[in-house]
PDB file of all heavy atoms in Angstrom:
ATOM      1  N   LYS M 217      14.966  10.568  -6.841  1.00  0.00           N
ATOM      2  CA  LYS M 217      13.718  11.375  -6.753  1.00  0.00           C
ATOM      3  C   LYS M 217      12.466  10.523  -6.572  1.00  0.00           C
ATOM      4  O   LYS M 217      11.446  11.021  -6.221  1.00  0.00           O
ATOM      5  CB  LYS M 217      13.555  12.242  -7.961  1.00  0.00           C
ATOM      6  CG  LYS M 217      14.680  13.307  -8.084  1.00  0.00           C
ATOM      7  CD  LYS M 217      14.480  14.173  -9.314  1.00  0.00           C
ATOM      8  CE  LYS M 217      15.522  15.254  -9.385  1.00  0.00           C
ATOM      9  NZ  LYS M 217      15.417  16.117 -10.628  1.00  0.00           N
ATOM     10  N   GLY M 218      12.594   9.218  -6.891  1.00  0.00           N
ATOM     11  CA  GLY M 218      11.444   8.337  -6.766  1.00  0.00           C
ATOM     12  C   GLY M 218      11.931   6.857  -6.645  1.00  0.00           C
ATOM     13  O   GLY M 218      13.110   6.573  -6.722  1.00  0.00           O
ATOM     14  N   LEU M 219      10.959   5.993  -6.485  1.00  0.00           N
ATOM     15  CA  LEU M 219      11.262   4.567  -6.312  1.00  0.00           C
ATOM     16  C   LEU M 219      10.812   3.816  -7.557  1.00  0.00           C
ATOM     17  O   LEU M 219      10.050   2.864  -7.494  1.00  0.00           O
ATOM     18  CB  LEU M 219      10.503   4.039  -5.067  1.00  0.00           C
ATOM     19  CG  LEU M 219      10.925   4.720  -3.755  1.00  0.00           C
ATOM     20  CD1 LEU M 219       9.891   4.336  -2.642  1.00  0.00           C
ATOM     21  CD2 LEU M 219      12.330   4.273  -3.330  1.00  0.00           C
ATOM     22  N   THR M 220      11.445   4.161  -8.706  1.00  0.00           N
ATOM     23  CA  THR M 220      11.002   3.634  -9.917  1.00  0.00           C
ATOM     24  C   THR M 220      12.155   2.968 -10.703  1.00  0.00           C
ATOM     25  O   THR M 220      13.303   3.159 -10.385  1.00  0.00           O
ATOM     26  CB  THR M 220      10.418   4.774 -10.891  1.00  0.00           C
ATOM     27  OG1 THR M 220      11.481   5.722 -11.176  1.00  0.00           O
ATOM     28  CG2 THR M 220       9.291   5.447 -10.197  1.00  0.00           C
ATOM     29  N   VAL M 221      11.837   2.219 -11.765  1.00  0.00           N
ATOM     30  CA  VAL M 221      12.828   1.590 -12.589  1.00  0.00           C
ATOM     31  C   VAL M 221      13.760   2.650 -13.220  1.00  0.00           C
ATOM     32  O   VAL M 221      14.957   2.508 -13.272  1.00  0.00           O
ATOM     33  CB  VAL M 221      12.202   0.718 -13.666  1.00  0.00           C
ATOM     34  CG1 VAL M 221      13.193   0.220 -14.656  1.00  0.00           C
ATOM     35  CG2 VAL M 221      11.473  -0.502 -13.027  1.00  0.00           C
ATOM     36  N   ALA M 222      13.101   3.693 -13.762  1.00  0.00           N
ATOM     37  CA  ALA M 222      13.874   4.774 -14.374  1.00  0.00           C
ATOM     38  C   ALA M 222      14.855   5.406 -13.400  1.00  0.00           C
ATOM     39  O   ALA M 222      16.012   5.700 -13.755  1.00  0.00           O
ATOM     40  CB  ALA M 222      12.916   5.871 -14.925  1.00  0.00           C
ATOM     41  N   ALA M 223      14.464   5.674 -12.172  1.00  0.00           N
ATOM     42  CA  ALA M 223      15.371   6.218 -11.182  1.00  0.00           C
ATOM     43  C   ALA M 223      16.502   5.275 -10.889  1.00  0.00           C
ATOM     44  O   ALA M 223      17.630   5.711 -10.678  1.00  0.00           O
ATOM     45  CB  ALA M 223      14.595   6.515  -9.881  1.00  0.00           C
ATOM     46  N   GLY M 224      16.257   3.954 -10.858  1.00  0.00           N
ATOM     47  CA  GLY M 224      17.316   3.000 -10.657  1.00  0.00           C
ATOM     48  C   GLY M 224      18.328   3.002 -11.793  1.00  0.00           C
ATOM     49  O   GLY M 224      19.543   2.913 -11.568  1.00  0.00           O
ATOM     50  N   ARG M 225      17.878   3.125 -13.042  1.00  0.00           N
ATOM     51  CA  ARG M 225      18.737   3.111 -14.179  1.00  0.00           C
ATOM     52  C   ARG M 225      19.641   4.383 -14.124  1.00  0.00           C
ATOM     53  O   ARG M 225      20.850   4.306 -14.406  1.00  0.00           O
ATOM     54  CB  ARG M 225      17.964   3.192 -15.467  1.00  0.00           C
ATOM     55  CG  ARG M 225      17.184   1.915 -15.732  1.00  0.00           C
ATOM     56  CD  ARG M 225      16.723   1.719 -17.116  1.00  0.00           C
ATOM     57  NE  ARG M 225      17.856   1.617 -18.051  1.00  0.00           N
ATOM     58  CZ  ARG M 225      17.893   0.848 -19.133  1.00  0.00           C
ATOM     59  NH1 ARG M 225      16.750   0.247 -19.525  1.00  0.00           N
ATOM     60  NH2 ARG M 225      18.888   0.811 -19.939  1.00  0.00           N
ATOM     61  N   HIS M 226      19.059   5.483 -13.778  1.00  0.00           N
ATOM     62  CA  HIS M 226      19.862   6.728 -13.677  1.00  0.00           C
ATOM     63  C   HIS M 226      20.921   6.644 -12.597  1.00  0.00           C
ATOM     64  O   HIS M 226      22.039   7.064 -12.822  1.00  0.00           O
ATOM     65  CB  HIS M 226      18.843   7.894 -13.405  1.00  0.00           C
ATOM     66  CG  HIS M 226      19.548   9.201 -13.329  1.00  0.00           C
ATOM     67  ND1 HIS M 226      19.913   9.904 -14.503  1.00  0.00           N
ATOM     68  CD2 HIS M 226      19.940  10.074 -12.306  1.00  0.00           C
ATOM     69  CE1 HIS M 226      20.486  11.045 -14.173  1.00  0.00           C
ATOM     70  NE2 HIS M 226      20.536  11.132 -12.871  1.00  0.00           N
ATOM     71  N   ALA M 227      20.565   6.049 -11.469  1.00  0.00           N
ATOM     72  CA  ALA M 227      21.523   5.933 -10.360  1.00  0.00           C
ATOM     73  C   ALA M 227      22.645   4.991 -10.760  1.00  0.00           C
ATOM     74  O   ALA M 227      23.818   5.211 -10.461  1.00  0.00           O
ATOM     75  CB  ALA M 227      20.794   5.420  -9.109  1.00  0.00           C
ATOM     76  N   ALA M 228      22.276   3.872 -11.468  1.00  0.00           N
ATOM     77  CA  ALA M 228      23.330   2.925 -11.881  1.00  0.00           C
ATOM     78  C   ALA M 228      24.280   3.561 -12.883  1.00  0.00           C
ATOM     79  O   ALA M 228      25.502   3.306 -12.868  1.00  0.00           O
ATOM     80  CB  ALA M 228      22.638   1.725 -12.544  1.00  0.00           C
ATOM     81  N   ALA M 229      23.793   4.428 -13.749  1.00  0.00           N
ATOM     82  CA  ALA M 229      24.636   5.121 -14.744  1.00  0.00           C
ATOM     83  C   ALA M 229      25.670   5.940 -14.012  1.00  0.00           C
ATOM     84  O   ALA M 229      26.855   6.017 -14.481  1.00  0.00           O
ATOM     85  CB  ALA M 229      23.813   5.961 -15.650  1.00  0.00           C
ATOM     86  N   ASP M 230      25.290   6.582 -12.884  1.00  0.00           N
ATOM     87  CA  ASP M 230      26.229   7.417 -12.140  1.00  0.00           C
ATOM     88  C   ASP M 230      27.337   6.506 -11.516  1.00  0.00           C
ATOM     89  O   ASP M 230      28.469   6.916 -11.424  1.00  0.00           O
ATOM     90  CB  ASP M 230      25.517   8.182 -11.071  1.00  0.00           C
ATOM     91  CG  ASP M 230      24.611   9.332 -11.631  1.00  0.00           C
ATOM     92  OD1 ASP M 230      24.871   9.704 -12.776  1.00  0.00           O
ATOM     93  OD2 ASP M 230      23.732   9.775 -10.911  1.00  0.00           O
ATOM     94  N   LEU M 231      26.920   5.307 -11.039  1.00  0.00           N
ATOM     95  CA  LEU M 231      27.899   4.418 -10.448  1.00  0.00           C
ATOM     96  C   LEU M 231      28.864   3.902 -11.510  1.00  0.00           C
ATOM     97  O   LEU M 231      30.102   3.838 -11.206  1.00  0.00           O
ATOM     98  CB  LEU M 231      27.182   3.234  -9.766  1.00  0.00           C
ATOM     99  CG  LEU M 231      26.341   3.582  -8.561  1.00  0.00           C
ATOM    100  CD1 LEU M 231      25.742   2.302  -7.972  1.00  0.00           C
ATOM    101  CD2 LEU M 231      27.095   4.328  -7.436  1.00  0.00           C
ATOM    102  N   VAL M 232      28.370   3.563 -12.621  1.00  0.00           N
ATOM    103  CA  VAL M 232      29.273   3.014 -13.678  1.00  0.00           C
ATOM    104  C   VAL M 232      30.262   4.113 -14.113  1.00  0.00           C
ATOM    105  O   VAL M 232      31.403   3.726 -14.532  1.00  0.00           O
ATOM    106  CB  VAL M 232      28.371   2.588 -14.928  1.00  0.00           C
ATOM    107  CG1 VAL M 232      29.297   2.180 -16.137  1.00  0.00           C
ATOM    108  CG2 VAL M 232      27.521   1.410 -14.485  1.00  0.00           C
ATOM    109  N   ALA M 233      29.935   5.376 -14.041  1.00  0.00           N
ATOM    110  CA  ALA M 233      30.799   6.441 -14.450  1.00  0.00           C
ATOM    111  C   ALA M 233      31.966   6.617 -13.499  1.00  0.00           C
ATOM    112  O   ALA M 233      32.970   7.319 -13.830  1.00  0.00           O
ATOM    113  CB  ALA M 233      30.025   7.742 -14.551  1.00  0.00           C
ATOM    114  N   LEU M 234      31.951   6.044 -12.327  1.00  0.00           N
ATOM    115  CA  LEU M 234      33.053   6.139 -11.361  1.00  0.00           C
ATOM    116  C   LEU M 234      34.230   5.322 -11.832  1.00  0.00           C
ATOM    117  O   LEU M 234      34.086   4.327 -12.521  1.00  0.00           O
ATOM    118  CB  LEU M 234      32.575   5.590  -9.983  1.00  0.00           C
ATOM    119  CG  LEU M 234      31.462   6.393  -9.291  1.00  0.00           C
ATOM    120  CD1 LEU M 234      30.954   5.676  -8.047  1.00  0.00           C
ATOM    121  CD2 LEU M 234      31.974   7.808  -8.876  1.00  0.00           C
ATOM    122  N   PRO M 235      35.437   5.695 -11.437  1.00  0.00           N
ATOM    123  CA  PRO M 235      36.627   4.823 -11.689  1.00  0.00           C
ATOM    124  C   PRO M 235      36.408   3.400 -11.087  1.00  0.00           C
ATOM    125  O   PRO M 235      35.812   3.340 -10.001  1.00  0.00           O
ATOM    126  CB  PRO M 235      37.787   5.617 -11.000  1.00  0.00           C
ATOM    127  CG  PRO M 235      37.252   6.994 -10.843  1.00  0.00           C
ATOM    128  CD  PRO M 235      35.781   6.931 -10.669  1.00  0.00           C
ATOM    129  N   ALA M 236      36.892   2.473 -11.780  1.00  0.00           N
ATOM    130  CA  ALA M 236      36.666   1.080 -11.322  1.00  0.00           C
ATOM    131  C   ALA M 236      37.122   0.805  -9.919  1.00  0.00           C
ATOM    132  O   ALA M 236      36.463   0.074  -9.151  1.00  0.00           O
ATOM    133  CB  ALA M 236      37.340   0.079 -12.284  1.00  0.00           C
ATOM    134  N   ALA M 237      38.230   1.442  -9.524  1.00  0.00           N
ATOM    135  CA  ALA M 237      38.755   1.266  -8.181  1.00  0.00           C
ATOM    136  C   ALA M 237      37.850   1.853  -7.101  1.00  0.00           C
ATOM    137  O   ALA M 237      37.957   1.451  -5.920  1.00  0.00           O
ATOM    138  CB  ALA M 237      40.196   1.815  -8.073  1.00  0.00           C
ATOM    139  N   ALA M 238      37.074   2.810  -7.475  1.00  0.00           N
ATOM    140  CA  ALA M 238      36.158   3.464  -6.470  1.00  0.00           C
ATOM    141  C   ALA M 238      34.741   3.013  -6.628  1.00  0.00           C
ATOM    142  O   ALA M 238      33.919   3.341  -5.745  1.00  0.00           O
ATOM    143  CB  ALA M 238      36.241   5.026  -6.672  1.00  0.00           C
ATOM    144  N   ARG M 239      34.473   2.247  -7.586  1.00  0.00           N
ATOM    145  CA  ARG M 239      33.069   1.822  -7.831  1.00  0.00           C
ATOM    146  C   ARG M 239      32.592   0.749  -6.811  1.00  0.00           C
ATOM    147  O   ARG M 239      33.373  -0.172  -6.485  1.00  0.00           O
ATOM    148  CB  ARG M 239      32.988   1.197  -9.231  1.00  0.00           C
ATOM    149  CG  ARG M 239      31.538   0.863  -9.696  1.00  0.00           C
ATOM    150  CD  ARG M 239      31.615   0.175 -11.071  1.00  0.00           C
ATOM    151  NE  ARG M 239      32.254   1.094 -12.050  1.00  0.00           N
ATOM    152  CZ  ARG M 239      32.939   0.659 -13.124  1.00  0.00           C
ATOM    153  NH1 ARG M 239      33.098  -0.650 -13.312  1.00  0.00           N
ATOM    154  NH2 ARG M 239      33.411   1.539 -13.936  1.00  0.00           N
ATOM    155  N   PRO M 240      31.432   0.908  -6.282  1.00  0.00           N
ATOM    156  CA  PRO M 240      30.913  -0.109  -5.306  1.00  0.00           C
ATOM    157  C   PRO M 240      30.877  -1.493  -6.020  1.00  0.00           C
ATOM    158  O   PRO M 240      30.554  -1.606  -7.202  1.00  0.00           O
ATOM    159  CB  PRO M 240      29.536   0.365  -4.971  1.00  0.00           C
ATOM    160  CG  PRO M 240      29.562   1.843  -5.222  1.00  0.00           C
ATOM    161  CD  PRO M 240      30.443   2.011  -6.403  1.00  0.00           C
ATOM    162  N   THR M 241      31.165  -2.499  -5.213  1.00  0.00           N
ATOM    163  CA  THR M 241      31.043  -3.910  -5.721  1.00  0.00           C
ATOM    164  C   THR M 241      29.655  -4.485  -5.409  1.00  0.00           C
ATOM    165  O   THR M 241      29.365  -5.614  -5.909  1.00  0.00           O
ATOM    166  CB  THR M 241      32.089  -4.787  -5.033  1.00  0.00           C
ATOM    167  OG1 THR M 241      31.840  -4.875  -3.669  1.00  0.00           O
ATOM    168  CG2 THR M 241      33.501  -4.223  -5.362  1.00  0.00           C
ATOM    169  N   ALA M 242      28.837  -3.800  -4.645  1.00  0.00           N
ATOM    170  CA  ALA M 242      27.457  -4.273  -4.305  1.00  0.00           C
ATOM    171  C   ALA M 242      26.542  -3.118  -4.106  1.00  0.00           C
ATOM    172  O   ALA M 242      27.011  -2.068  -3.639  1.00  0.00           O
ATOM    173  CB  ALA M 242      27.533  -5.198  -3.084  1.00  0.00           C
ATOM    174  N   VAL M 243      25.285  -3.262  -4.471  1.00  0.00           N
ATOM    175  CA  VAL M 243      24.282  -2.268  -4.301  1.00  0.00           C
ATOM    176  C   VAL M 243      23.043  -2.832  -3.613  1.00  0.00           C
ATOM    177  O   VAL M 243      22.573  -3.878  -3.931  1.00  0.00           O
ATOM    178  CB  VAL M 243      23.803  -1.743  -5.732  1.00  0.00           C
ATOM    179  CG1 VAL M 243      22.702  -0.798  -5.574  1.00  0.00           C
ATOM    180  CG2 VAL M 243      24.963  -1.112  -6.449  1.00  0.00           C
ATOM    181  N   PHE M 244      22.619  -2.066  -2.578  1.00  0.00           N
ATOM    182  CA  PHE M 244      21.353  -2.321  -1.872  1.00  0.00           C
ATOM    183  C   PHE M 244      20.398  -1.257  -2.246  1.00  0.00           C
ATOM    184  O   PHE M 244      20.662  -0.065  -2.072  1.00  0.00           O
ATOM    185  CB  PHE M 244      21.561  -2.365  -0.420  1.00  0.00           C
ATOM    186  CG  PHE M 244      20.341  -2.411   0.460  1.00  0.00           C
ATOM    187  CD1 PHE M 244      19.277  -3.203   0.097  1.00  0.00           C
ATOM    188  CD2 PHE M 244      20.229  -1.617   1.618  1.00  0.00           C
ATOM    189  CE1 PHE M 244      18.090  -3.253   0.872  1.00  0.00           C
ATOM    190  CE2 PHE M 244      19.068  -1.610   2.323  1.00  0.00           C
ATOM    191  CZ  PHE M 244      18.005  -2.442   1.997  1.00  0.00           C
ATOM    192  N   CYS M 245      19.273  -1.632  -2.809  1.00  0.00           N
ATOM    193  CA  CYS M 245      18.240  -0.700  -3.271  1.00  0.00           C
ATOM    194  C   CYS M 245      17.032  -0.660  -2.338  1.00  0.00           C
ATOM    195  O   CYS M 245      16.662  -1.759  -1.823  1.00  0.00           O
ATOM    196  CB  CYS M 245      17.776  -1.059  -4.656  1.00  0.00           C
ATOM    197  SG  CYS M 245      19.085  -0.955  -5.917  1.00  0.00           S
ATOM    198  N   ALA M 246      16.420   0.493  -2.173  1.00  0.00           N
ATOM    199  CA  ALA M 246      15.329   0.677  -1.247  1.00  0.00           C
ATOM    200  C   ALA M 246      14.039  -0.055  -1.713  1.00  0.00           C
ATOM    201  O   ALA M 246      13.178  -0.298  -0.864  1.00  0.00           O
ATOM    202  CB  ALA M 246      14.994   2.122  -1.071  1.00  0.00           C
TER     203      ALA M 246
END
Side-chain angles (χ1 to χ4, degrees):
K217 293 181 179 179
L219 298 166
T220 64
V221 171
R225 295 196 66 147
H226 183 76
D230 290 343
L231 293 182
V232 173
L234 295 171
R239 186 183 300 152
T241 64
V243 174
F244 169 43
C245 296

